[in-house]
Amino acid sequence: MNATVAMNDRNGQTQPFPIPAPKIGVWLLLAAMTLLFSLLLSAYVVRMGQVDWISINVPTAFFGSTGLLVAGSLTAWLALRAIRAGDARRSTSWLAVTLGLTVLFLVAQVFGWQQLLADGVLLSTNPSASFIYLMSGLHGAHVIGGIVALQVVLRRGRSGQYSSQDHLGIELTGLYLHFMLGVWVLMFILLSLT
């Protein structure tokens, strides 16, 4: 069921706002997250020019986790494509795969942190180490939010609440996951090059 916001026209008649309220909410959330991650990435770039900056190799587990997030974004798109075509069963299957890949992304991130710790790279080792933990941890926390949303959408999909005309939850969850992939790729490239 799509929720819409009502607005009054010139004659005082209530008309539905053309954009569903949940979609506006997700776009505002993504705008706020864009600001947060932009500030973090800017701080990283500014801080890496300081004398005490020591570059740290990105854990190899982060390469694998990046692949998992790319695959999860693809399966989220396939879930949306399937429901738009009226195939709710296939859409639900793709959502389940997306959930699994997203959870595996977090597991791989934890392995990356374990690699850092095994190499003696602690949060307080140097500013570069602090940023690796901060950036990957903050991103991981936001991915957990996506996992919660995926679980809700998957449950709704399994109970038949989505159709080719009514699938906003699948669309918005996919949008969120695509955004998280974009943020991770930017951070991963920056971490890998410095």
Side-chain angles (χ1 to χ4, degrees), residues 107 109-119 133:
V107 170
Q109 292 293 96
V110 170
F111 283 135
W113 281 17
Q114 289 175 339
Q115 285 178 335
L116 288 169
L117 292 172
D119 291 342
Y133 283 108

Side-chain angles (χ1 to χ4, degrees), residues 35-110:
L35 180 60
L36 172 68
F37 284 110
S38 295
L39 291 171
L40 182 61
L41 291 173
S42 297
Y44 180 83
V45 169
V46 169
R47 187 61 180 90
M48 65 187 233
Q50 303 298 317
V51 173
D52 59 345
W53 188 266
I54 300 170
S55 293
I56 294 173
N57 292 330
V58 174
T60 55
F62 282 9
F63 289 90
S65 69
T66 302
L68 290 166
L69 203 56
V70 168
S73 186
L74 173 64
T75 57
W77 175 77
L78 290 170
L80 179 60
R81 185 174 165 203
I83 196 65
R84 283 181 174 163
D87 193 344
R89 196 178 112 264
R90 180 171 285 157
S91 177
T92 302
S93 296
W94 283 123
L95 286 171
V97 172
T98 303
L99 178 60
L101 289 167
T102 307
V103 169
L104 286 175
F105 166 80
L106 287 179
V107 170
Q109 292 293 96
V110 170

Side-chain angles (χ1 to χ4, degrees), residues 23 70 147:
K23 188 176 270 191
V70 168
I147 288 172

